[in-house]
Every structure is written in structure tokens, then in C-alpha cells.
Amino acid sequence: MTHTRRNALGRGLDSLISLGEVQTAGSSAISEIEISMIEPNPSQPRTTFDAGALEELAASIRELGVIQPLSLRSLPGGGYQIIAGERRWRAAKAAGLHSVPAYVRTASDSEVTEMALIENIQREDLNAIEVALAFRKLIDTYNLTQDRLSERLGKKRATIANHLRLLKLPAEIQLGLRDRKIDMGHARALLAIADTKTRLKIYNKILEQGLSVRRVEQLAKQYSESAERTPEKTSSSQATGGYEAFQRELSNYFPTPVKFTRNASGKGSITLKFDNDDQLQRLVELFEKIK
């Protein structure tokens, strides 16, 4: 009986994106490639490989082999570089295999980077920070808007915006999210806190006490309410400094409450509040129109 082998990567590489119209060649058949001739992709967006999960995959490969082929490209000096499938390659080496099934594609350096990013994002193999960095790299490399990236990846605009916001967190918290010491829910709750010291204080409480996402949300709300109860002591005229008309115009333009403060020395702030992701999304869209 003849079996037709399906491209196991599915939409991950073949049909999900047309940035730069990536063209591949020589990828219609699967070849057995010696592991010793393969090297990893230095632009691989995935930076961490869980040792336990890798060993589980290696055990499965010892029993069943590599079911899903890798995607490689030929190197000018000989050998191959991984486009997608580094985790399978590592596990196959650990399992003692001498060769792996692979599609050999023709791709430039930029196309390899692009395909590696897309394949990992679509397979949801990356942690939240790696996804955020991948989104940022795609936006910067191809000069995309969040809307355009949303269309290309088939991801909701809010999903992309929420991940990109994670990059505003202090490095210590980003590392904790990367290492899965906290999850996405914790990180989003921490983003609701403006003060960096308070963010780090609550982050350390999460690690020490195992706080739930709900509890962190409550702490963030308490902090915000406390900050609002202790505003800068200025008179009404000092607070606006004669800019009442400007404040009214801002309030009419934005779909959320606008707080305008200004002290006697001229220092102040304009604060836009939002109650949910939908309101935040509308604010982001308005700012992009302004830009």
C-alpha cells in the first residue's frame, strides 16, 4: 500500500504568511539527512528548551522515530541549517539517531529568520516573552502595523498588543515570565501597576507566596485606588493652569476618562484610564491614527 506523506508543518510554513513572498524550492520530497551535517539556526526565536520535555521527546523518538520532518536549507560550504525543528533535532541526537527526515528548502537568511519566527509562533512552542520578542522583530523587520501582523499571523490584534505590552515590564519580571515562574495572567495584572518598585514588590510576593492571578489583580486594584486617593495638593486653577478647554477637548476625543493635572511650576500629567482590553484597544487605535 502506498501512503502519501503529508507536510507535517501544515500552515506553519507553507501558507500562513506572505511577507516578502518567501519562495522555497526542492522541498517536495522528504530526505534522510545525517544529523552530523545539520547545524542550528542562530536566529531561532526559541531561547529555552525544557530538559524534561526534551528527554520525553527523545524517548518517544527512540520508539517511533521522528514523525514530523524538519525543514532545512543547504549551506554554501556544505551541510544544512535548521529552519524549523531544532527541538526534534536535539531530541533525535539524544535518542542516538544518525539521521532525521527533512525537507530541504531554498531560502535566504532573511527568509529563514521569517519562517523560524512564524513556525514557532503558530505552533505555540514559545513562552510569552519569546512570542513578544518575535512579534516585535516581525514588526520592526518588515515595518508592519499591529493590524497587518494580526492579518498575517491569524492572531487577534488584542493578543499581539497584550504580548507587546509585556516588554514594558522590568527585566526581572520578564525573566520570571520567560522561565514560567509566573504566567501571562500575573504579568498582565502587574502591568496595571504604574510604579516599578510596587510591581517588583508584588512580583516577589507571587514567588514567595504563590499568589493567584486573581489575588494579584486585587492587589493591583488596591494600589491604583490608593494612588487615586492621594492626589497632588493643588487648587483647581493650578491643576489645569488655564487649560480647561484643552482638557474638555481631550475628554471628547478619547472614549475613556481623561485626568489633567498641572502644578504651579508647570509640571503635570495627562492620564487616560481604561477598564478593559476593549477600551485599551480603542485607545491604541486612536494613537496609531494620530501617529
Side-chain angles (χ1 to χ4, degrees):
M1 180 182 293
T2 301
H3 295 276
T4 301
R5 300 194 67 170
R6 177 179 175 272
N7 181 349
L9 291 178
R11 293 183 69 249
L13 295 180
D14 291 336
S15 62
L16 99 311
I17 193 166
S18 60
L19 298 174
E21 295 297 326
V22 174
Q23 301 294 325
T24 61
S27 58
S28 60
I30 299 173
S31 304
E32 282 290 327
I33 306 295
E34 291 185 21
I35 286 180
S36 61
M37 298 179 66
I38 300 172
E39 64 179 48
N41 174 9
S43 298
Q44 160 72 269
R46 187 173 188 172
T47 59
T48 57
F49 294 86
D50 181 82
L54 204 59
E55 178 51 40
E56 288 180 3
L57 180 58
S60 173
I61 287 175
R62 289 188 191 100
E63 293 294 323
L64 303 173
V66 178
I67 297 175
Q68 182 173 323
L70 287 68
S71 280
L72 311 174
R73 69 161 175 169
S74 298
L75 295 173
Y80 303 88
Q81 186 180 77
I82 298 171
I83 296 175
E86 182 173 339
R87 183 168 173 268
R88 279 162 275 155
W89 172 71
R90 287 172 178 257
K93 287 206 303 182
L97 270 62
H98 298 292
S99 64
V100 290
Y103 293 100
V104 179
R105 300 169 177 266
T106 300
S108 67
D109 290 344
S110 61
E111 290 166 346
V112 168
T113 300
E114 174 189 320
M115 288 189 284
L117 286 169
I118 299 305
E119 198 264 352
N120 277 283
I121 290 172
Q122 287 292 5
R123 287 167 51 84
E124 298 184 353
D125 280 348
L126 306 178
N127 60 57
I129 289 297
E130 288 172 331
V131 170
L133 291 171
F135 286 160
R136 173 51 59 197
K137 186 167 185 177
L138 284 171
I139 287 172
D140 292 344
T141 301
Y142 298 101
N143 194 28
L144 299 174
T145 63
Q146 290 184 23
D147 280 329
R148 191 60 173 157
L149 184 60
S150 172
E151 294 172 2
R152 295 300 195 192
L153 300 183
K155 296 284 185 182
K156 292 181 179 179
R157 164 71 179 277
T159 298
I160 292 173
N162 285 334
H163 275 84
L164 291 175
R165 289 176 64 218
L166 298 176
L167 301 179
K168 298 179 180 179
L169 289 167
E172 183 178 347
I173 299 178
Q174 290 189 39
L175 289 174
L177 184 56
R178 185 201 68 179
D179 297 337
R180 293 186 167 86
K181 294 179 180 179
I182 61 172
D183 60 28
M184 183 78 165
H186 289 113
R188 290 181 64 182
L190 290 171
L191 279 166
I193 302 170
D195 182 65
T196 299
K197 289 184 178 179
T198 305
R199 277 179 179 172
L200 290 170
K201 181 179 179 180
I202 295 178
Y203 167 70
N204 287 321
K205 280 188 177 182
I206 297 172
L207 301 184
E208 294 167 3
Q209 303 174 23
L211 300 181
S212 66
V213 172
R214 178 59 180 162
R215 180 55 183 154
V216 177
E217 290 173 343
Q218 291 172 345
L219 290 173
K221 185 177 180 181
Q222 290 172 9
Y223 167 78
S224 298
E225 291 174 348
S226 175
E228 289 177 357
R229 285 195 297 268
T230 56
E232 186 177 350
K233 294 181 180 179
T234 57
S235 66
S236 177
S237 60
Q238 286 179 324
T240 57
Y243 288 91
E244 292 88 351
F246 177 58
Q247 183 176 5
R248 287 194 297 270
E249 186 175 346
L250 287 175
S251 298
N252 291 332
Y253 184 77
F254 291 104
T256 57
V258 178
K259 183 178 180 181
F260 183 100
T261 61
R262 179 179 179 274
N263 62 24
S265 66
K267 294 182 179 180
S269 64
I270 298 174
T271 305
L272 302 175
K273 295 182 63 177
F274 55 88
D275 296 325
N276 51 53
D277 285 343
D278 288 337
Q279 285 189 357
L280 173 61
Q281 189 61 39
R282 286 197 291 273
L283 286 173
V284 171
E285 290 171 353
L286 283 171
F287 279 116
E288 287 197 347
K289 286 181 180 179
I290 295 172
K291 183 173 66 175

